[in-house]
Amino acid sequence: MRKTAPAATGRDIEFAWTPGLLVALAALCLAQLLETIDITVVNVALPALRAGLSFSAATLHWVITGYTVCFGGCLLLGGRLGDLLGHRRVFAYGTAVFALASLACALAGGAGEFVAARGVQGVAAGFVSPMTLALLATLFPEGRPRTVAVTVWGAATAVSGSLGFVAGGLLVDGPGWRWIFAVNPVICGVVIAAVLRFVPASAPAARGRFDVVGAIVSTCAAGLLVYGVTQIGVRGGNSPDALVPLVLAALLLAYFVLHEARLAAHPLIPVRLFAVRTVAAANLAQFLISGAIYALFYLLSLQLQQTLGRNAVGTGLALVPFSLLLLVCAGSGPLMVRYIGFRGSIAAGGLLGAAGMLLLAHTATAGDATRAVILPSLVVASGFALTFVPITVAAVTGVPSAQHGIASGLVNVTRTLGGAIGLAVIAAAASDRSDRLRGSGHTIDAALASGFRLGYQLCAVLPALAAVTALLLLRGEGRGRVRTPSPFPETAGPVSN
């Protein structure tokens, strides 16, 4: 394989697309696909997992949140660790740990073992995902080669939703849910071999230390917050099982802010970034939108199987139009920003998404999947798609170019943790509503329908709040030509406060 020569001018005259580079690009995209698809692939397997591992209705969401909390909590630490120890090394070790954790998921005999293995999976994914982009930057010089590589990488991420739903359904209805995880070690082995063979090793890109304390504190705070919220639904708001973790989460979050602002020599999150109004608004909007999306997929998957009689494959196929419409409509984001700015785009998308959620709540008792789920969910998808590009671009607007990397990483963390926390809150409320109604003599179908209706209503609140956030904190920023910033920082090294 011919190593690529850097092209400082952005031209690709000296660049050649060799077979080795194509294999390396495919391996890195496959790794990214594997990390992201493990969030969506389990959605259609939720009823099978509940039956096979004795999850309760109130704790079932930990199948997803156990992964996403750890994933989001380790993204920034993983990126920094790669800068200090070498990107290829961290990628290889992280992928190997992901493979072992996947095998543990496949062999789990109970809910506790499974959630613990999912947490380790999430930690490993948090290390691997930033390395895929970093290694692309090493392999492909600026200009057309890197643009093509990043576009392919982004496409792999985008199709993970649809592919995850279909693959999960086929595996659940075929050999069984354990094969969702049993195939990962084989794929990971192929990916590691390809990267070690075709991606050259490089010296560490930076010197210094990484903020392990910040990563541990933030991840534990998020986990305690999610656990406390679920216990409110199970034990009640006055129960020590709910209050103690919530208080501990608040204390840890307060310490995390202090640690990042004053104590950490190389903080995970430069607190002063939030003084930039567009950054603060974009991350808050992303947190809210992601919470609604994660909860929506969770509710739709259960409704299709529990009340509408779809099997796992049918459920996966019913969710594909939603995912594809998100991808198609997201292309209109730059045009929306050009004419109505970040404020108008996020507000319009949030309000349209909220309207679709209310439509889902209204049709929750419909007897067929098309009227109850598919058509209303397409309204949601068209709204949410309008927010993706504005939020991503706003998240780095007003930020010095040398800090684009950390600002981009921050919005990814917000997306993942917002999804985990939003899912926990809404799943707990919907489950509690259904359990209460069943306990008071309502039929199972009526109780489930009422729980889904409440869940969708709560989902509608989140994008509506995102729209309010945009209207209050943004004042037309972003109109004119939209330039999407590079995901790669222009200068390496730690960002201080």
Side-chain angles (χ1 to χ4, degrees):
M1 183 196 76
R2 179 185 173 188
K3 295 182 183 179
T4 61
T9 62
R11 299 176 182 175
D12 50 19
I13 297 175
E14 300 180 8
F15 183 83
W17 287 88
T18 64
L21 277 176
L22 294 176
V23 172
L25 175 60
L28 293 174
C29 290
L30 183 58
Q32 176 65 14
L33 176 67
L34 197 62
E35 314 304 327
T36 53
I37 203 174
D38 254 54
I39 299 175
T40 61
V41 72
V42 297
N43 274 280
V44 295
L46 289 172
L49 284 164
R50 181 179 179 183
L53 297 176
S54 301
F55 278 98
S56 68
T59 60
L60 184 61
H61 70 88
W62 279 103
V63 170
I64 301 169
T65 53
Y67 181 88
T68 52
V69 165
C70 294
F71 186 15
C74 291
L75 277 170
L76 294 179
L77 178 63
R80 179 66 179 153
L81 192 66
D83 289 340
L84 294 174
L85 301 180
H87 298 135
R88 193 181 75 160
R89 177 186 299 176
V90 172
F91 177 91
Y93 281 117
T95 305
V97 172
F98 186 90
L100 293 174
S102 297
L103 185 60
C105 288
L107 299 176
E113 297 173 38
F114 182 83
V115 170
R118 284 286 282 172
V120 176
Q121 257 195 323
V123 170
F127 289 160
V128 172
S129 186
M131 295 306 97
T132 59
L133 268 177
L135 290 172
L136 285 180
T138 301
L139 287 172
F140 299 93
E142 292 181 9
R144 178 175 168 76
R146 184 175 296 177
T147 300
V148 171
V150 173
T151 300
V152 175
W153 178 91
T157 304
V159 302
S160 64
S162 298
L163 185 59
F165 295 136
V166 175
L170 290 172
L171 289 171
V172 171
D173 282 347
W177 67 262
R178 294 184 186 273
W179 283 91
I180 290 176
F181 306 97
V183 299
N184 286 350
V186 177
I187 299 174
C188 289
V190 172
V191 166
I192 292 172
V195 168
L196 292 179
R197 172 67 179 84
F198 294 107
V199 177
S202 59
R207 295 181 180 180
R209 299 178 180 178
F210 45 88
D211 187 12
V212 176
V213 173
I216 293 175
V217 170
S218 60
T219 304
C220 289
L224 286 168
L225 178 61
V226 171
Y227 180 76
V229 167
T230 61
Q231 291 305 300
I232 290 177
V234 177
R235 309 287 184 183
N238 296 324
S239 169
D241 290 339
L243 292 177
V244 171
L246 290 175
V247 170
L248 289 176
L251 292 175
L252 286 176
L253 286 172
Y255 175 77
F256 176 73
V257 173
L258 174 65
H259 177 80
E260 297 298 295
R262 301 291 183 187
L263 304 178
H266 304 285
L268 284 176
I269 302 174
V271 176
R272 64 190 176 95
L273 275 180
F274 289 102
V276 181
R277 187 174 59 191
T278 53
V279 173
N283 278 276
L284 179 54
Q286 182 67 81
F287 185 92
L288 294 166
I289 294 290
S290 296
I293 290 177
Y294 278 57
L296 174 66
F297 280 142
Y298 178 87
L299 294 170
L300 290 177
S301 299
L302 291 179
Q303 183 183 2
L304 283 164
Q305 295 181 75
Q306 291 181 343
T307 67
L308 296 174
R310 290 287 184 105
N311 59 13
V313 173
T315 296
L317 292 174
L319 295 175
V320 166
F322 180 97
S323 184
L324 291 179
L325 189 61
L326 278 179
L327 182 61
V328 172
C329 291
S332 64
L335 186 63
M336 293 283 290
V337 174
R338 178 176 298 178
Y339 289 105
I340 63 176
F342 301 144
R343 182 191 193 200
S345 301
I346 297 171
L351 292 176
L352 183 58
M357 293 290 193
L358 292 177
L359 186 58
L360 278 167
H362 178 71
T363 60
T365 56
D368 66 276
T370 301
R371 286 190 301 127
V373 168
I374 297 176
L375 293 179
S377 69
L378 295 181
V379 178
V380 179
S382 61
F384 283 175
L386 299 180
T387 69
F388 291 165
V389 170
I391 286 176
T392 302
V393 180
V396 294
T397 298
V399 177
S401 59
Q403 296 183 7
H404 278 173
I406 191 68
S408 299
L410 179 59
V411 78
N412 286 329
V413 173
T414 303
R415 178 185 298 114
T416 307
L417 293 182
I421 293 171
L423 169 59
V425 172
I426 293 171
S431 174
D432 180 63
R433 167 69 67 84
S434 296
D435 289 344
R436 288 178 182 273
L437 289 178
R438 278 192 289 183
S440 62
H442 288 72
T443 65
I444 293 178
D445 287 344
L448 288 173
S450 182
F452 291 133
R453 186 182 303 112
L454 175 61
Y456 294 134
Q457 290 169 344
L458 293 176
C459 282
V461 173
L462 299 182
L465 289 177
V468 172
T469 298
L471 293 173
L472 293 180
L473 297 183
L474 300 175
R475 294 188 177 91
E477 290 93 340
R479 285 183 187 156
R481 186 181 177 194
V482 178
R483 269 184 40 187
T484 303
S486 167
F488 309 104
E490 295 182 14
T491 60
V495 180
S496 64
N497 286 317

